[in-house]
Amino acid sequence: MGATPLPWTDPRDDLEVGVLMADGRLAPRKFADRAAAEAWARVDLGDQVVEFNTICSCDA
């Protein structure tokens, strides 16, 4: 019996949420979702919540 193939997913849809800190670096941690990143970010100090694709730098 052969293995059942997994359904295809578009790699452009595989986004992560992060925090771009005021110094231009990404925060050295992972966030479960956008709400967690927003809670951690220090917007008052210039941090920004960002979404990015770790698989490719494709235009979505």
Side-chain angles (χ1 to χ4, degrees):
M1 239 179 169
T4 304
L6 295 173
W8 184 81
T9 58
D10 191 337
R12 294 172 292 184
D13 294 335
D14 190 12
L15 299 177
E16 282 195 29
V17 178
V19 174
L20 182 62
M21 299 185 299
D23 64 4
R25 298 173 66 192
L26 281 174
R29 59 169 294 176
K30 293 192 179 262
F31 299 94
D33 54 27
R34 186 171 189 90
E38 289 172 349
W40 189 87
R42 297 288 310 266
V43 178
D44 57 322
L45 297 179
D47 293 352
Q48 299 175 26
V49 176
V50 295
E51 292 181 356
F52 56 95
N53 186 303
T54 60
I55 297 174
C56 66
S57 57
C58 333
D59 291 334

